[in-house]
Amino acid sequence: MAYGFISSLYGGVEIGTCDIITSTRLITYGRVGGNLMGNADFAAAVADIRTRDVYEMGANDSFPNLCWRFNTMNRGGTTVLYGYFDGYTQYGSSYRQVMSGVPVFVSGQTTGTSWAHVGVYNATIRTNPGSTPRNALVILWSYDMPVEGAYITTSWTVSVSSATSLDSWLLAYPTSFGVIPEDPYAPGGISEPGGGDGDFDFSSTDIPIPALPTTGAYDTGFLTLYAPSANGLKALAQYMWSGTFDPTALRRLVAEPMDVIMGLSIIPTITGHPATTPATLMVGNISTGVFMEQLTEQYYELDCGTVTIPPKWGAYLDYAPYSKLSLYLPYIGYVNISPDDCMRGEIKVVYHVDMLSGTCTAYVYCKSNRGTDGHTLYTYNGSVACPCPVTSGQYGSLITGALNIAGAAAGIATGNPMSIATGLGSIAKTAIDAVKPEVQRSGQTGGTAGLMGIQYPYLILTVPRLCTPADQDKLVGYPSYVTVDISDCTGYTEIEVSHLEGMSCTENEALEIIGLLKEGVVF
Amino acid sequence: MTIILQTNTSETRAVTKNLTTIATKTGTLRQETSIIDPVFTVAGALSDFVGCNYCTVADFGRSYFVRNIRSIRTGLVELTCHVDVLSSFANEIKANRGIVRRSQSADTYNLMINDGSLTCYQDPYILTEPFPDGFTGTTFVLAVAGG
């Protein structure tokens, strides 16, 4: 048997190989511990054990499934015991039942001359002499019997690992399991072939814009939303400050009568939304007699439409990092998106608006020229509600909020242009545009600020200005990477690779030809 | 042996040369010379060689660039030549295949390949495009307790 490390039965982790122990190599002995052997027999057994890798205990002991121990002789260290069967493993003077099919990993640190682990082995063993050998992950540990009949183990520190897989044990006890990392500087090296196993499937699944929520606070009945006109609000104010309004009736519902007014805000709208129905305003189930439109929906969707993004140069300059694309989204601000996501395709912006909270979510749906599916690639949220204070407290909050928004500055350069330049070392001529710093075009534009802003989205496309000298195609050509029959080449051509065959020239002439083709020739 | 003295008006990297014959010299090769970088000593007036920058030697199966013309003495001119490998082996070259890295031909080049060769000015275009629709109005929204 090789005192090496073995194939795992779990997870396919290969940690080494060793011989498979067959039953012919198993020797049956009586119990070693417990003084069942005579001294001479014991000594003979010890001597024999020392020459063998595995031995098997007899089945006539009081531990019917105590079946195996392994010999490694005078090897110290951390002991790992493992059992896989419906049986018992022994360590120290205790026995631990091994659950069927469930590995139990136990480690122990021995002192003195006692069991010590040296390796994990893949082997076939028997639970008893008459059973069929079974594959197992087993441990060899050292064995030294100093005296007749004495238990081998002395001081044990046993810990039970919570790990349930060999992989975990390999990580926890690397020295025990002898996991040796590869030496990258060894003569054999560690490089290996690989790759080329992609599925080459570039199809994609559409990620559509989600539908409006079907559940909202508006469905609870604890509140009602109205879309009053200015005159309707004035009528409400007159009612609440008039003698008709009885605050005591409301005090059965709320502490302060004004608490029935949960909020008043200005929300942007589109044709047909919000949907409303005529109603009499009810405050705390008290009819005010004021007529106004009651909202029949909490959410609405605004489809801002689609903008196509045709290429300007029909070259790599149309894409990142040379071209830049920003979107202005009402009530959100300016956001950067990648031109790679939509070049030669289109962009669609859809808003979902919650009229109760004033929250809006903008979806940016992009379709490029690759494939037919588009994807919701960007999602941003903002606030469309412009609060209208109805109490002094609300007015104070409104002013404070406006001051906080005003403090957010615009025009700040963001990003580190040097980090961009580092990655573009080989793209020399057009790198200048790519390393220009990003500039923040706006601060916060939600709420009241958004109400005063532009109410439709728009694109900002920054495209480099190409500089093309006359006859560039004839003098230096344009980039290419195709395999051609050289006979089909016309004009200025640089041929990167050509294994010249069928040539009658000398070697030096062939080298000169290859060099000239690489530098560029005119056909 | 025949040496055709020519004037080449094409660039040196042209596979097919535009040649004009100046004179044809016939003689015997009397001394050793390389067929890659031959040096010919040719009898003739120097004026016969003025304007000669190219020659073809059928016996060598090659065409040559004339790199130097040296008058040895009256009536004897020395031509130092180097083989024009492109013209000499044009047909054999064209029988091969290769990967083109740069090309003049629109059938071959692809401007989507980023080799950093396109030059740009520092001032970019800033283009804006609005979306067709946006928010068109506003409304008050009043939230009240109860219903």
Side-chain angles (χ1 to χ4, degrees):
Chain A
M1 167 182 285
Y3 283 98
F5 302 97
I6 63 170
S7 301
S8 167
L9 293 174
Y10 301 96
V13 176
E14 180 72 33
I15 58 171
T17 60
C18 74
D19 297 333
I20 299 298
I21 303 171
T22 65
S23 61
T24 60
R25 298 177 63 180
L26 295 176
I27 303 298
T28 301
Y29 291 92
R31 263 173 57 184
V32 175
N35 299 321
L36 296 182
M37 284 185 170
N39 286 345
D41 291 337
F42 186 79
V46 169
D48 187 66
I49 286 171
R50 290 175 187 273
T51 67
R52 297 189 181 277
D53 301 318
V54 177
Y55 68 98
E56 184 181 272
M57 297 301 292
N60 60 348
D61 51 25
S62 60
F63 307 100
N65 292 319
L66 175 61
C67 58
W68 41 267
R69 297 184 186 189
F70 305 92
N71 179 21
T72 58
M73 300 308 297
N74 300 320
R75 295 172 187 261
T78 301
T79 300
V80 178
L81 305 181
Y82 168 82
Y84 182 59
F85 304 100
D86 294 329
Y88 293 87
T89 62
Q90 178 186 11
Y91 60 88
S93 60
S94 303
Y95 293 88
R96 183 176 183 84
Q97 182 173 10
V98 177
M99 303 304 294
S100 173
V102 176
V104 174
F105 299 96
V106 178
S107 71
Q109 182 67 45
T110 64
T111 59
T113 55
S114 58
W115 306 102
H117 163 65
V118 292
V120 179
Y121 290 80
N122 189 13
T124 57
I125 65 172
R126 303 182 211 181
T127 56
N128 58 67
S131 67
T132 302
R134 296 166 59 180
N135 288 331
L137 193 64
V138 296
I139 310 301
L140 289 188
W141 62 89
S142 69
Y143 178 89
D144 191 357
M145 303 181 75
V147 297
E148 171 188 341
Y151 277 103
I152 308 304
T153 55
T154 56
S155 301
W156 278 83
T157 301
V158 179
S159 63
V160 178
S161 171
S162 60
T164 56
S165 70
L166 176 64
D167 292 357
S168 300
W169 275 76
L170 290 173
L171 291 173
Y173 300 96
T175 56
S176 299
F177 289 91
V179 177
I180 302 172
E182 289 185 279
D183 180 1
Y185 304 107
I190 59 173
S191 63
E192 57 188 19
D197 57 348
D199 65 3
F200 310 116
D201 179 5
F202 300 102
S203 61
S204 180
T205 304
D206 186 20
I207 306 297
I209 295 171
L212 288 171
T214 56
T215 305
Y218 199 42
D219 301 323
T220 63
F222 283 96
L223 58 90
T224 306
L225 296 177
Y226 295 88
S229 63
N231 289 333
L233 284 174
K234 291 174 184 173
L236 173 62
Q238 287 175 350
Y239 166 81
M240 295 191 73
W241 291 107
S242 70
T244 309
F245 179 56
D246 180 10
T248 56
L250 285 177
R251 286 200 174 93
R252 289 195 289 271
L253 301 172
V254 295
E256 290 294 332
M258 284 303 294
D259 288 345
V260 294
I261 306 297
M262 301 176 75
L264 177 65
S265 55
I266 299 172
I267 301 288
T269 61
I270 60 175
T271 302
H273 293 283
T276 60
T277 186
T280 301
L281 175 63
M282 304 289 288
V283 290
N285 289 333
I286 298 173
S287 176
T288 64
V290 179
F291 295 98
M292 56 178 63
E293 296 293 319
Q294 177 179 335
L295 269 60
T296 58
E297 60 184 6
Q298 181 178 343
Y299 309 101
Y300 75 83
E301 178 179 282
L302 163 62
D303 184 346
C304 299
T306 301
V307 172
T308 58
I309 315 293
K312 298 305 177 186
W313 300 114
Y316 63 83
L317 298 177
D318 292 318
Y319 296 83
Y322 308 104
S323 288
K324 296 179 174 55
L325 192 57
S326 299
L327 268 182
Y328 169 77
L329 298 172
Y331 300 93
I332 294 172
Y334 292 91
V335 296
N336 292 327
I337 64 175
S338 173
D340 295 358
D341 293 332
C342 53
M343 186 55 62
R344 296 175 183 269
E346 56 189 32
I347 299 179
K348 179 178 179 178
V349 173
V350 172
Y351 272 76
H352 285 175
V353 177
D354 175 12
M355 289 177 286
L356 176 61
S357 65
T359 300
C360 68
T361 299
Y363 302 93
V364 181
Y365 182 85
C366 299
K367 184 185 291 188
S368 71
N369 65 314
R370 300 252 174 238
T372 57
D373 288 331
H375 311 284
T376 304
L377 294 180
Y378 303 85
T379 304
Y380 304 95
N381 59 279
S383 174
V384 299
C386 174
C388 299
V390 295
T391 65
S392 61
Q394 292 178 5
Y395 181 74
S397 299
L398 178 68
I399 299 301
T400 302
L403 291 173
N404 289 339
I405 292 173
I412 300 171
T414 61
N416 181 4
M418 292 309 297
S419 65
I420 300 172
T422 306
L424 293 169
S426 62
I427 308 175
K429 293 185 181 180
T430 46
I432 292 177
D433 281 333
V435 300
K436 290 186 177 181
E438 292 289 336
V439 176
Q440 189 174 338
R441 296 182 183 272
S442 75
Q444 300 179 35
T445 59
T448 306
L451 185 65
M452 294 185 288
I454 300 173
Q455 298 297 303
Y456 53 85
Y458 61 91
L459 285 173
I460 305 173
L461 179 63
T462 305
V463 182
R465 196 158 70 92
L466 185 61
C467 173
T468 49
D471 295 330
Q472 180 174 356
D473 56 341
K474 297 182 179 64
L475 298 176
V476 295
Y478 290 118
S480 176
Y481 203 70
V482 294
T483 302
V484 298
D485 292 326
I486 297 179
S487 58
D488 293 334
C489 294
T490 58
Y492 178 81
T493 310
E494 294 178 15
I495 300 179
E496 172 73 13
V497 175
S498 178
H499 297 277
L500 292 177
E501 297 177 342
M503 306 295 291
S504 61
C505 58
T506 65
E507 179 186 2
N508 285 343
E509 289 172 320
L511 291 174
E512 184 176 351
I513 292 170
I514 291 174
L516 287 171
L517 291 175
K518 283 187 178 179
E519 292 171 11
V521 298
V522 179
F523 286 95
Chain B
M1 177 178 199
T2 301
I3 301 175
I4 303 174
L5 304 178
Q6 297 156 312
T7 301
N8 169 40
T9 55
S10 302
E11 60 181 301
T12 57
R13 291 175 178 271
V15 177
T16 303
K17 299 294 193 298
N18 184 19
L19 303 173
T20 303
T21 300
I22 299 175
T24 301
K25 300 292 183 180
T26 301
T28 304
L29 193 62
R30 294 185 177 181
Q31 61 192 49
E32 62 187 33
T33 188
S34 164
I35 68 168
I36 307 300
D37 296 293
V39 178
F40 301 113
T41 304
V42 183
L46 183 60
S47 60
D48 293 343
F49 300 88
V50 171
C52 172
N53 62 4
Y54 203 83
C55 66
T56 300
V57 181
D59 290 316
F60 287 177
R62 286 164 170 77
S63 297
Y64 298 90
F65 298 107
V66 176
R67 288 190 165 172
N68 195 16
I69 303 173
R70 200 163 71 97
S71 175
I72 304 299
R73 62 171 188 273
T74 301
L76 199 64
V77 175
E78 179 183 87
L79 300 177
T80 302
C81 305
H82 178 71
V83 62
D84 178 1
V85 291
L86 293 177
S87 291
S88 301
F89 304 100
N91 292 333
E92 293 173 2
I93 294 171
K94 291 178 181 179
N96 281 270
R97 285 167 63 83
I99 296 176
V100 176
R101 286 305 296 256
R102 299 192 68 81
S103 173
Q104 175 182 344
S105 171
D107 294 334
T108 313
Y109 68 67
N110 187 334
L111 295 176
M112 296 298 290
I113 295 174
N114 185 356
D115 65 349
S117 61
L118 296 179
T119 303
C120 298
Y121 294 101
Q122 184 68 353
D123 53 338
Y125 292 111
I126 310 295
L127 311 173
T128 56
E129 181 72 28
F131 280 76
D133 295 299
F135 296 101
T136 55
T138 57
T139 184
F140 290 104
V141 173
L142 176 68
V144 299

